[in-house]
Amino acid sequence: MMNEKESIEILIANRTYLYRIFQNVFGTDPSEKQLKVVTANVTINALKLLDTKDNHAMVNAAEYLKSIAYGLNDDFIEKIKTEYTKLLIGPEKMPAPPWESVYITKERILFRESTLEVRKIYMKYGIVPTRYLHVADDHIALELDFMYILSMKIQEAFENENMERVIELLNEQKDFLQYHLQIWIPDFAKQMQKSNSKLYYPEMADILKEFLRIDYDTIIEILDNIKNIVPAINA
């Protein structure tokens, strides 16, 4: 039977893995290799781990990914590539632009104050987006990448029993969820449903929306549980 520290360690590792998956889905051109990872058993099990008595959204997400894995072939992958370009790249007007500032300003335009706020948060942790120089800092892939990088830092700090650092980084993630990702991703997911193409990315946007909601509660759970193990570590 796992002790409390082991349970927290699994949750932390699970979060890191899933943020990497979502960042890859919304920030990288789809490929057969990518889709095989997204639909792999390890991903399905990672989602199922987040199932709760009152929320089975991640179990439903796991079933969806199983169905994708079952129908994965060259024709499907080509259709996914077309959908990715149409919904997340352009040049045609996108039903759900993948930038935070579009959803929190009346003008629905890029490079507003929120973009600079996000940039300052990245810089606080020495994170400079280099792979997306042509994209505003509040792009969905960059915000998810930030959460992934912090999750890796949390994992490392936890392994080194640096609980003060773990708590600091978890609180940073909690704030970033509350004041950024959770502010606009629900609208982004809703707008995605207006697309004429609903093969893969609109469903993944809905899954991401639910994951972020659950992850906020997961962070609170981890923070509460850490209080119980700190005395034992310091003993």
Side-chain angles (χ1 to χ4, degrees), residues 172-183 216:
E172 186 73 70
Q173 284 192 316
K174 183 165 69 73
D175 288 347
F176 197 77
L177 280 169
Q178 183 175 357
Y179 298 113
H180 292 282
L181 284 164
Q182 286 187 322
I183 294 295
Y216 185 86

Side-chain angles (χ1 to χ4, degrees), residues 106-152:
K106 291 181 180 179
E107 299 87 356
R108 298 182 76 82
I109 55 177
L110 295 175
F111 294 103
R112 304 303 291 176
E113 287 184 15
S114 62
T115 309
L116 298 177
E117 288 174 7
V118 167
R119 182 178 299 171
K120 287 178 182 178
I121 296 170
Y122 295 165
M123 292 177 67
K124 178 180 176 182
Y125 291 94
I127 298 169
V128 179
T130 56
R131 294 188 299 166
Y132 304 92
L133 290 175
H134 60 293
V135 175
D137 298 70
D138 59 353
H139 187 279
I140 185 172
L142 292 178
E143 293 197 358
L144 292 172
D145 198 34
F146 173 69
M147 292 294 284
Y148 165 63
I149 291 170
L150 286 200
S151 293
M152 286 197 298

Side-chain angles (χ1 to χ4, degrees), residues 23-35 77 80-82 84-85 88-89 132 134 141 200-201:
Q23 188 280 328
N24 198 260
V25 166
F26 289 101
T28 308
D29 291 343
S31 64
E32 180 181 5
K33 180 180 179 180
Q34 181 203 74
L35 287 163
I77 293 169
I80 290 290
K81 289 179 179 179
T82 299
Y84 178 78
T85 301
L88 293 165
I89 301 296
Y132 304 92
H134 60 293
Y200 178 67
Y201 288 96

